[in-house]
Amino acid sequence: MEQPVAPEVTTSTGTVRGSRTDGIGRFLGIPYAAAPVGGRRFRAPAPPAAWSGVRDATRFGATAPQAPYAGAIGELLSCPVIEGDDILTANVWTPADAAASAAPVVLWIHGGALERGAAAEPTYDGTGFARDGIVFVSVNYRLGVEGFSVLDGAPTNLGLLDVARALEWVHAEIGAFGGDPARITLMGESAGGALVAALLSRPASRALVAGAIIQSGPLDAAPLQKARRASDAIARRLGIPATREAFAARTTAELLRARSQIAAGSSPLRGAPGFTLALDPETLPASPVDALPSLGIPLLIGTNTDEYRLWLTPDAIAAIGGVKSWLARRALRTPERAARAVRAAMPDASAGEVLGQLLTDRLLRGPATRVARARTAPTYVYEFAWESPVRDLRAAHALELGFVFDTLTTDQAVRLAGDDAPADLARDMHRAWVAFITTGDPGWPAFGADRTTKVWDAASHVTPQRRAAVVDALG
């Protein structure tokens, strides 16, 4: 049997040779910026060096240094580990007929609390999108201490600057892969959704985008003094100043080890400060929750019903009694009227479940709703409600990913959703995301005065926003 000819594409820095399966082209590990090592650590991303000859693009680039998920969450989530320095790379999947006409483009940004994750995770395979006529791009970026420390003498939000550079690369180079640079949709989940929102808050990045999808993404950015708490804690642990010079003098492994030691035993309710996006005049001049309402492009945004169940085990939820829940609400400055609204909407919920729902709505659903209500450009809101049979996750954080990508058979999707998740729900969600990327309309009415929401479930339907009184009580 004759083997398919390996496809080649010439970019501004050189030619890459990928692979083709069933007509879908795949080009992996293409540098969009220089490796952030040596003198480039804790520096803004620099352009990649050109190469001569043909570069092999059949393998993913190195993953960003990170510690593995720990504890119960590590049984559900994992991350590929690929050694090497070239972590600032892009991967491109192309439709069979991409060269014939300029195809819509989606740039996927993975999540992982700004500390973990990789584009090489099999659940994020772009084949399904390319099969449906979209040029799909995914990227890696610097994580954790290397990407989101706030240090004297270093740019702020380095991981954000990486994805901003990746977006510029896509805009400049995607035409060679058959994509239309005027039709780029950003798409991200969790921390990836936060980075999508942050890119839209940067005027230079916003100008390159035609649409955006934010899945369970926090929409805030912290003042510098608050954002630097994680890196300050690492500096104290190592007995060094929180400066670029001092951090660059330590190996990445040393910095990661210090961070892991600090974070040991942390929980969503109590523990070490996490990395966050920082408000900064140069790199992020406005918080996304304030910038997104005036954005004049289509936006698809939503959350999962039970986000907190990924972070809190059933035992942890059961251990939260009334007093502990009340103290946590006081510490988080959560209005008691919001707790009453949760109890009214979910009368059978335990004290731990009430607190978990408040965490979900305060962190994710409340800000998403405020943005949707304030926007005049087309905004489409969803709630993913299908309940997993695994570990009483119900509709937990990240569960929707295997459905959106139509990759329910990958190991991580099975760990989250079980081995009998509804393929028809995956088909329908994937089609809606494809429709939005292609046309700016996922197929249900835009959010407006009636707060129209698409609820994805075993029997999906469109309805006014559920539990609206809860998010309204949160302000």
Side-chain angles (χ1 to χ4, degrees), residues 121-397:
E121 162 55 45
T123 302
Y124 308 152
D125 187 278
T127 299
F129 286 98
R131 176 196 64 209
D132 293 326
I134 291 167
V135 175
F136 178 92
V137 186
S138 63
V139 295
N140 285 338
Y141 54 95
R142 280 174 282 185
L143 299 170
V145 64
E146 297 276 342
F148 294 95
S149 288
V150 178
L151 304 173
D152 296 338
T156 305
N157 297 314
L158 285 169
L160 173 60
L161 293 182
D162 290 344
V163 292
R165 167 63 190 155
L167 173 59
E168 293 167 1
W169 182 90
V170 171
H171 190 265
E173 309 288 356
I174 207 63
F177 294 90
D180 185 348
R183 301 174 69 193
I184 299 171
T185 296
L186 297 177
M187 172 180 164
E189 183 268 346
S190 192
L195 287 167
V196 167
L199 286 173
L200 298 174
S201 305
R202 292 166 43 88
S205 300
R206 182 167 61 237
L208 307 181
V209 179
I213 301 172
I214 299 174
Q215 300 171 209
S216 303
L219 302 180
D220 60 346
L224 280 173
Q225 283 304 114
K226 182 177 180 180
R228 67 180 302 144
R229 290 176 183 172
S231 39
D232 283 349
I234 293 170
R236 287 193 299 271
R237 182 85 183 190
L238 294 174
I240 61 176
T243 65
R244 181 199 176 273
E245 182 180 23
F247 272 50
R250 298 298 182 116
T251 66
T252 301
E254 288 177 300
L255 297 173
L256 281 173
R257 185 162 51 250
R259 170 62 182 165
S260 295
Q261 291 167 347
I262 293 165
S266 292
S267 75
L269 300 179
R270 182 179 180 183
F275 290 100
T276 183
L277 290 163
L279 285 170
D280 170 60
E282 298 297 322
T283 60
L284 186 56
S287 182
V289 74
D290 298 322
L292 291 179
S294 62
L295 186 69
I297 62 172
L299 174 65
L300 171 59
I301 189 168
T303 58
N304 297 357
T305 305
D306 309 291
E307 304 270 9
Y308 67 97
R309 287 184 175 270
L310 178 68
W311 309 312
L312 296 174
T313 65
D315 287 345
I317 294 169
I320 299 172
V323 173
K324 189 173 182 179
S325 177
W326 180 80
L327 289 172
R329 296 197 305 272
R330 291 270 294 182
L332 295 170
R333 298 180 181 177
T334 301
E336 278 303 304
R337 64 181 181 277
R340 290 194 295 271
V342 172
R343 293 191 198 98
M346 306 168 66
D348 297 328
S350 68
E353 289 168 336
V354 169
L355 180 61
Q357 194 62 50
L358 286 169
L359 289 173
T360 290
D361 289 348
R362 179 171 178 169
L363 176 65
L364 299 172
R365 198 167 71 105
T369 301
R370 290 197 295 275
V371 165
R373 295 185 74 181
R375 280 172 50 83
T376 57
T379 306
Y380 303 91
V381 174
Y382 74 87
E383 178 183 341
F384 182 82
W386 181 79
E387 295 189 356
S388 168
V390 176
R391 206 198 73 179
D392 200 23
L393 286 173
R394 303 185 193 176
H397 191 68

Side-chain angles (χ1 to χ4, degrees), residues 453-465:
T453 303
K454 177 76 171 190
V455 176
W456 295 104
D457 206 338
S460 300
H461 58 285
V462 174
T463 181
Q465 186 180 42

